[in-house]
Structures are given as C-alpha cells and as structure tokens.
Amino acid sequence: MTLRLVEPLTDEQLNTAYSDILSPLAWDLGHIGNFEELWLVQTIGGREPMDGELGRFYDAIENPRSTRNELPILRGDELRSYMEGVRERTLEVLDEVELEDSDDSLLRDGFVYELILAHELQHNETMLQLVQMVERYEPAERHAPGGEHELSVRGQSPHTLLIEGGGYEIGADEGGFAYDNERPRHIVDLAPFEIDRAPVTNAGWIEFMEDTGAEPPLYWQRNGGGGWVRTAMGETRDVDQSQPVVHVDHVAATAFAEWAGKRLPTEFEWEAAARAGALAMMGEVWEWTSSDFQAYPGFEAFPYDEYSKVFFGPEHKVLRGSSWATRQGVIRTTFRNWDLPQRRQIFSGVRCVRDV
Ligand SMILES: [Fe+2]
C-alpha cells in the first residue's frame, strides 16, 4: 500500500520538501524501512545494520522535520533497493522466530510485528498530508464512492445523543495490540453530557467565520464571488457544505465550540460516546478534544520512551477517531493521536458537546 501511494510520483517529487512541518516523502519511505530494519532485522533477528550509520538520519526525534531534506538520506533506486532488502531480511527472520508462548514481551503475540505494521500504516496518513500539496497527484487506484464511508448520520434527528453519567472503562484492555499510551484500561467518572451526532460541517464553519471573522481552514480561498473554494493536489473545487470541516487547529476548534454555545469533549467523553454508539466517529476527520496528552494512571512505557512518553504534557492536545486518510488496520476507539494546538496539516475537525 505504501509503494502504491507513491507510485504516481517522480523521484523529484519524492525528494521535494513541500513544507517545513512535513518530511519529504523520500525520508518517510527510508524511515519506514529503517524502523523495520531496526526492530525486526537488528533487534529481533540479531543482524548487523545493513548500511552503517544510516539509522541516525532516520531517527524522528534527532531530526526535526524541517531538517530532513538536508540529510544524506537514500534517494531513487538506492532507496527502493534498501526497502526491498529490509523486507527480504524481515521475512527471513520471521521464519526463524517463535511468536506463540514467547517469554520476550516484544515477540509475545507478535507485538513487535504489529508495531511495525501500525507504524507503516500511520506513516501512510502522514504521507497523504503531504500529497495534498503535490500538483496533479492522481492515485494509482481509486475506490468507488460508497461502501462503508457512505454511512452517515448527518441530517438525522435528533442531532445530539445523551450520554448518561457514570463510570466508564477507558483505554485498551490486556488482549490484542495497542500502544503503551492506551493502557492500562481504567475507570473514569463522567457527568452526563450531550454530544453532536456528527462532526461540524463546512456550512457550520462558514457561518462561524462570517460571524466572528475567524480564519478559513488550510487550503481554502475565496472564489471571487464571495464563496469558498478548496485546493488539494493542484485541483480547485467549491467547498462542499455538507462535508465535515477539515484542517482546522485546536485553537479555532475551541473557539468554534464556544461560539456554538458548546465545548470540545474531553478525550474520555469522546471514548465513552464512541462505545455508546455515536455514529460517524471513524473514518471522516480526526476530532480535537480538550484533553492534554497525559499518561493514564499506571502507565508503563513500552517498548521505548520515544513513542509516547516524551510527548506527555500540556503542550500537546489529543485528537480522537480517525480520518478518511487513516488505514483500516490502525482504527480503534482507544487510539490517541496528538499534536500541537496550532497545527492544522493533519486531517483534523471538530465535534462539540454540551453539559446537561
Ligand atoms: Fe515514524
């Protein structure tokens, strides 16, 4: 899927830094391969690094996004053959390992394989953020409209859903794959609240902008006649009023909720509502919550501090759900995404709640 995503792109496009806050796609590709090599080939397989010091340039913490195009990263055919080489060795190692009943917590139930798969799938979404900026990108495959994404609750009555107060189980249980930050599962007491059945639409956002002078979402422009158009992948189209608003930041999302006489949900309210069945919480837009990204009580970093632990704190806000660009394999109600409150390159939208 990763290779199909970049299939329509030239090497020059893969090597272009389109934005200071997104990596050139060539870096993402090399990093996906290197992360797989690090964990599945070196750590699990006990093999020596394939390409000396290469790993240093693909360390996401050491190399901020704005610097990544200056690094001596792999490009072109070198990059493609490195990725192939990693996958070949990964499959060799996989033949040798024992996953069932392993004493090694990395191998138990295939955890580290799920981790590497989830990592690659999540990078596909980051890569799609950048693909928005590539002129005339034509996907190698298009899904016919319809299917599960047609499921929509927009326009359904009532427009809100009452969630009873009480203790709710939050977070992932022991079984199955989840990130360290989703665990341990614990009970959170919630007061009753009412949640919108659908995310805020473009029509709602336009009303908010007209009323308050708020900023348009990323990629929007005036069409000359007073309306709004949106440009993605070099194509400019009228803004579809009925679609969820996307590419708005946390600050604006909070302001919207206040303007609407509501507020953003906490991430716990969001998860409780997702379990209670407020529909259309998945596969449209990520939804900003009012919660800071913090460790759950009893949190243990696994398998390394740099996945979640170094990001805990009030500077990052939690987003919940998933977007149209999220791969199926990483969508779950307990998943916690996070970003800085001023960021809007992610496929981020808004859903409001109200106290009752
Ligand atoms: Fe990564």
Side-chain angles (χ1 to χ4, degrees), residues 124-171:
N124 282 186
E125 180 163 353
T126 321
M127 291 164 75
L128 274 161
Q129 291 171 13
L130 186 128
V131 164
Q132 306 293 294
M133 302 175 194
V134 179
E135 288 274 314
R136 282 184 289 280
Y137 176 89
E138 256 304 313
E141 53 167 353
R142 265 183 200 279
H143 293 290
E148 72 253 56
H149 291 294
E150 208 61 351
L151 174 75
S152 173
V153 292
R154 276 187 284 282
Q156 262 185 33
S157 283
H159 296 296
T160 60
L161 189 75
L162 174 70
I163 306 293
E164 304 286 347
Y168 285 87
E169 285 193 319
I170 298 297

Side-chain angles (χ1 to χ4, degrees), residues 27-28 31-32 35 58 60 65 68 119-120 122-123 126 304 307:
W27 188 91
D28 281 274
H31 166 81
I32 286 170
F35 197 70
Y58 291 117
R65 287 175 172 185
R68 291 176 184 171
H119 178 258
E120 180 160 348
Q122 283 173 251
H123 267 278
T126 321
Y304 59 102
Y307 184 74

Side-chain angles (χ1 to χ4, degrees), residues 285-305:
V285 288
W286 288 99
E287 298 176 14
W288 285 112
T289 72
S290 59
S291 301
D292 296 340
F293 186 49
Q294 299 286 10
Y296 287 168
F299 166 84
E300 279 175 50
F302 179 75
Y304 59 102
D305 279 358

Side-chain angles (χ1 to χ4, degrees), residues 103-118:
D103 291 335
D104 184 340
S105 52
L106 276 180
L107 285 177
R108 197 178 306 135
D109 300 322
F111 176 86
V112 70
Y113 287 89
E114 296 237 34
L115 174 74
I116 294 320
L117 186 58

